[in-house]
Amino acid sequence: MTCDRLVRLAPLYLMLCAAGAAGIVQGAQDFKRKASILLKEEPKNPKCFAESKKDFVCFWEEDEERAGSVDQYSFTYAYQNEKNSTCPLEVLPSAGGKKLFVCHLNRVQMFVQLDVQVQREGVQIYNRSLLIELLFLLDPPKSVTVSTTGHQGQLNVSWVPPSLKYMDDSMIYEVLYAPADSDFGQVELIQACSEMILRGLEAGTMYQVQVRVNLDGITYDGYWSAWSDPVFTETLPAELDPLVVSLTVIVSFILVLLCLAMLLSHQRFLIKKLWPVIPTPDSKFQGLFTVYGGDFQEWLGQTSGSLWLTSPFILPEECPSPLEVLSEFNLCPPLSSPPLPPKASKALTRVRNEDGVMKKGLLGRESVDGVDSVQTNGWRTPLHDDWLLDRLREFQQHPVPTSQCSLLESQDAYISLTGNKQIEGEHMEDTLEETSPLGVLFASRKTTLSESHSDLGSVQQSSGCGNLSSQSSFEYPNHAWITRDPGYTYMAVADSGVSMDYSPMSRADDIGKVVIYANDYKNDVPPHRRPFLVRQYPVDDDD
Amino acid sequence: MANRRTYWPNHEEPVRGYADTAMEFPRLFALLLLVLEWTRPGLPSPLRPICDLRVLNHFIQEARDAEVAMKSCREGCSLTEAVSVPQTTVNFEDWEKKNAMAQAQEVQTGLWLLQQALGLLRTSMTDAELNGHIDTATRNLHSITAVLRTLNFPEYTPPASTAGLEGTWSASSAAELLQVHLNFLRGKVRLLLLDAQACQQDVS
């Protein structure tokens, strides 16, 4: 039974032993660490320190060669007004081939003078008078924690102070902080407080923080403890300070406004430099773009052509020479009583097309007289080629006195190519005719003739010569034609309603030598126009 | 209408009008009332407990200065006779075993003893600088007594015969006296103030 018990308890014993051994080892290590601190700090011997309120340690160091055994030394101490006491010594090996002789005092009295003596073989080697409460060497603070606060460049350090009653408010702490990769750190001192906020740190940097403790020296005093184990923490990454951002925005806005103001003040200069004015020929062509909208041919027609005759810009075409309207001339022979066949039209037309103003004199009226072929054929038969020239020749040679041609004057016959019809005393108005762009009217000859005119026809033609547009007709005095300079070029036009016959332009003395060309109307029927209609209106003379 | 403000271009003596003289008595009466109100004898208001130890720390530093000064004294700084001084030894375990009353009595006895001893030293001291230190120390001891009173410790006056009192030592030199004085302040007095019930209630 006992064996079983022993077997069960053996592991427990082993654990306890191990723990105890570990504790002892740890204690020894702590003591050695403290002893090393004191060996640097305290010049006097023996070196003594208090770890807590209840224990007190004194030690001294000796070289191994010179040191004797423990028995040779004696450590005696005496409080004020008390008797001497002896402290048992221990020997501990130290680094560098040295020995430490250590005395632990169990019963500690503070605020009273303590006299210590060390004797070796009866000879006093060390003597010291001290106050225990002034020789504290505490353990470093435990549980050092470092955390970030909510602000940039700050760290909050907190630790657990050594648990010594009545001494909490006498403790002072030093906090050592440095960037992890730097060798130089800063130290902050704080009293009687176990947490601290580090400010002015770099953002986004890893810092290491250590803390050590000491007593303030008023009531209690001691040595600085060892540094605590370093704690690494990273500060918050850099943020944009709202004040900086807003100031930057305001300053940039002001700069932009200044630039705009400068640009606007030098607007013309800059525009001139960046977008140079492309020279345009407007100044040389007065009215070309403003009045005629760029229509060069029209503009040419309205301005004097002499400027352009020699200009290289002129298209190498024959410039149209203005034509004067020739007065109508009476091709009619002296009137006679025979019935008149349908007469040839006589009209004045003025045709204007887009290219320019051309005046045509359309002559006309043909009296039916002695031209049987014409009479029989009426309007639908093309005239023979020489008919018109013969007429012209005849007229030129035998100018019809005005009285005889008074018929013309009175009759005032015109061809108007618009809906405007002017015909004396004749009402041929028809709404259809009015709306048509071309109404060719043939006036009847107002005579005492009793013939009935056969149809002269009013041919309504579509405006397809869409280029053809009519204007108000006008009247030329008959004699005006006669008095023209023989140098003029003449062209005879005869409009039969189906075709317009032009004689080529020829000089006055050349009439008769050239051939008449007949050009058919080219009628393009615009969709909105009326279809080609041929009507025949009986034309009655008005007496 | 009480004060008539008149412009005096030549900084002449202002002419006192009827209104000024008529207001004199009411002014005096008001002043009298105020004074009586302040000096009205009544129940003493409870003193506010002084729990801040910075006052004591200041006293301790002044006591240390006095001790240091006394160590450098060669002549004219000795006690004519031995004086009783309180024991300054503090064992924390033993101290915590005592109750608050005993602790207070011990401290008050010690303060009284020190005051007596310093008084004696003052009479035999000729050095002016040291006399100043002693006067400061004496004044501080009175202040500490007042502080204890604010902490609701019952006043305790030790018996007149100091000989044979427990917990006393005998000091024969001025240096020893001032050392005891310093240690006493740092030790027992401080512990008593730290542990004072009145201060504990404030904190908790």
Side-chain angles (χ1 to χ4, degrees), chain A residues 53-54 80-82 107-113 131 133-134 136 165-167 169-170 216-220, chain B residues 53 57 60-61 64 88-96 169 176 179-180 183 186-188 190-191 194-195:
Chain A
K53 293 181 292 183
K54 295 173 188 175
Q80 189 175 10
N81 298 336
E82 284 188 15
R107 199 169 171 279
V108 173
Q109 291 184 0
M110 297 194 182
F111 305 104
V112 67
Q113 190 166 324
L131 286 161
E133 73 277 2
L134 301 180
F136 274 101
K165 201 179 173 184
Y166 309 119
M167 292 164 67
D169 54 345
S170 300
D216 60 357
I218 300 173
T219 305
Y220 303 97
Chain B
L53 286 177
N57 289 343
I60 290 168
Q61 283 174 334
R64 184 176 283 123
T88 60
T89 306
V90 172
N91 185 299
F92 285 98
E93 291 172 348
D94 297 340
W95 177 262
E96 284 167 8
W169 289 336
E176 194 178 346
Q179 187 191 32
V180 165
N183 291 339
R186 291 191 302 130
K188 290 182 179 176
R190 195 170 189 277
L191 286 171
L194 265 177
D195 251 352

Side-chain angles (χ1 to χ4, degrees), chain A residues 118-131:
Chain A
V118 178
Q119 291 176 347
R120 181 180 178 180
E121 294 174 344
V123 178
Q124 181 180 302
I125 53 175
Y126 298 124
N127 186 13
R128 190 176 171 189
S129 177
L130 52 91
L131 286 161

Side-chain angles (χ1 to χ4, degrees), chain A residues 261-311:
Chain A
M262 267 186 54
L263 282 172
L264 286 173
S265 64
H266 294 92
Q267 189 183 17
R268 282 188 204 163
F269 175 73
L270 285 171
I271 287 173
K272 228 181 183 181
K273 287 293 175 188
L274 291 173
W275 292 284
V277 176
I278 299 170
T280 55
D282 280 356
S283 58
K284 303 290 182 191
F285 302 82
Q286 291 168 4
L288 172 58
F289 295 101
T290 54
V291 177
Y292 298 102
D295 192 349
F296 193 64
Q297 289 187 6
E298 260 188 45
W299 177 80
L300 274 182
Q302 289 297 324
T303 59
S304 63
S306 60
L307 285 173
W308 297 102
L309 286 174
T310 54
S311 170

Side-chain angles (χ1 to χ4, degrees), chain A residues 452-466:
Chain A
S452 64
H453 294 261
S454 67
D455 152 60
L456 295 182
S458 77
V459 178
Q460 295 192 359
Q461 297 171 352
S462 59
S463 64
C465 319

Side-chain angles (χ1 to χ4, degrees), chain A residues 74-143:
Chain A
S74 66
F75 185 93
T76 56
Y77 63 95
Y79 290 104
Q80 189 175 10
N81 298 336
E82 284 188 15
K83 298 177 203 173
N84 284 346
S85 301
T86 308
C87 175
L89 287 171
E90 296 172 26
V91 180
L92 292 173
S94 174
K98 296 193 176 178
K99 282 185 183 176
L100 292 177
F101 294 90
V102 184
C103 160
H104 289 273
L105 288 177
N106 297 326
R107 199 169 171 279
V108 173
Q109 291 184 0
M110 297 194 182
F111 305 104
V112 67
Q113 190 166 324
L114 176 69
D115 296 322
V116 172
Q117 272 189 3
V118 178
Q119 291 176 347
R120 181 180 178 180
E121 294 174 344
V123 178
Q124 181 180 302
I125 53 175
Y126 298 124
N127 186 13
R128 190 176 171 189
S129 177
L130 52 91
L131 286 161
I132 295 175
E133 73 277 2
L134 301 180
L135 297 172
F136 274 101
L137 181 55
L138 302 171
D139 291 331
K142 294 193 178 91
S143 304

Side-chain angles (χ1 to χ4, degrees), chain A residues 221-236:
Chain A
D221 204 353
Y223 308 96
W224 278 107
S225 71
W227 288 106
S228 64
D229 293 333
V231 176
F232 295 90
T233 308
E234 193 169 1
T235 52
L236 290 173

Side-chain angles (χ1 to χ4, degrees), chain B residues 44 47 87:
Chain B
L47 293 171
Q87 290 184 2

Side-chain angles (χ1 to χ4, degrees), chain B residues 173-203:
Chain B
S173 67
E176 194 178 346
L177 172 60
L178 287 177
Q179 187 191 32
V180 165
H181 167 248
L182 176 62
N183 291 339
F184 189 71
L185 290 179
R186 291 191 302 130
K188 290 182 179 176
V189 173
R190 195 170 189 277
L191 286 171
L192 184 67
L193 291 178
L194 265 177
D195 251 352
Q197 204 66 6
C199 293
Q200 301 298 325
Q201 285 171 359
D202 288 348
V203 170

